[in-house]
Amino acid sequence: MQWKRRLAIGVLTLGILVGCATTGEQMATKEKSLYDRLGGKPAITAVVDDFVARVAADRRINRFFANTDVPSFKAKLIDQICEASGGPCKYTGKDMKTVHAGMGITDADFNALVEDLVATLDKFKVPEKEKSELLAVLGPMKKDIVTR
Ligand code: HEM
């Protein structure tokens, strides 16, 4: 009967090991959302504040924003980034194609804006991983924004 007990203990031990390994794996794959890793709404608000100030001072592109209602623009941008990064917000602004239609935005204009955003993210020491994830979320919008 000794071997039966040994077998039972062996099976039990194996079960526990497999169970632990599975839990560990699940924990490793269940990463926090980009929104949480960025630092949630307060961090995104701080990023947008700094970014919009840079755009406003950027002589390559600030002419586009000459008649912009800045507080409303910032609020929309915050909601958009919050939602796109997996946060609890809902973007209620217009779609990117409609908003930017007729502005004649070029590749160079787009790149200048991204440069300003990267400068902000670097200032706030956003890690490379989160920085590139955020840029990857915004990148696909380019086709609806650049029209020239
Ligand atoms: C990924 C890049 C971009 C994103 C995510 C973005 C996002 C937005 C959002 C959320 C709005 C507000 C929409 C609304 O009012 O309903 C907006 C408006 C606007 N965007 Fe962009 N944008 C981008 C690139 C650009 C570029 C490259 C330019 C020009 C250089 C630009 C110029 C403007 C202007 C002038 C407005 C209108 C502001 C107003 O209401 O007066 N955007 N954008």
Side-chain angles (χ1 to χ4, degrees):
M1 278 306 157
Q2 190 68 8
W3 67 271
K4 276 194 181 169
R5 270 190 65 184
R6 285 220 183 106
L7 183 69
I9 290 167
V11 168
L12 201 68
T13 311
L14 191 70
I16 290 167
L17 285 177
V18 168
C20 288
T22 312
T23 314
E25 207 173 279
Q26 280 168 349
M27 280 167 72
T29 50
K30 200 161 172 273
E31 195 185 29
K32 276 186 176 181
S33 67
L34 175 59
Y35 171 81
D36 282 330
R37 282 177 284 132
L38 286 171
K41 193 101 177 245
I44 292 175
T45 303
V47 161
V48 168
D49 276 345
D50 187 88
F51 165 62
V52 171
R54 277 175 205 274
V55 169
D58 188 338
R59 292 172 64 182
R60 295 172 296 178
I61 52 173
N62 58 8
R63 67 184 181 283
F64 286 100
F65 299 88
N67 300 314
T68 297
D69 173 347
V70 174
S72 150
F73 173 60
K74 276 188 189 173
K76 295 215 172 82
L77 215 48
I78 291 166
D79 278 346
Q80 189 189 37
I81 294 174
C82 169
E83 184 178 3
S85 61
C89 316
K90 186 91 195 103
Y91 173 65
T92 57
K94 297 173 193 144
D95 68 90
M96 290 296 96
K97 204 165 192 165
T98 307
V99 181
H100 301 95
M103 287 189 195
I105 296 171
T106 64
D107 249 327
D109 298 328
F110 189 89
N111 292 341
L113 181 130
V114 171
E115 225 178 271
D116 291 338
L117 179 59
V118 168
T120 293
L121 298 173
D122 285 343
K123 177 184 161 182
F124 286 98
K125 300 199 171 10
V126 172
E128 281 304 319
K129 178 176 152 68
E130 281 68 31
K131 196 164 69 176
S132 54
E133 277 183 45
L134 181 60
L135 294 175
V137 166
L138 302 178
M141 298 176 185
K142 182 176 173 180
K143 64 176 190 330
D144 292 329
I145 293 170
V146 172
T147 51
R148 207 148 59 89

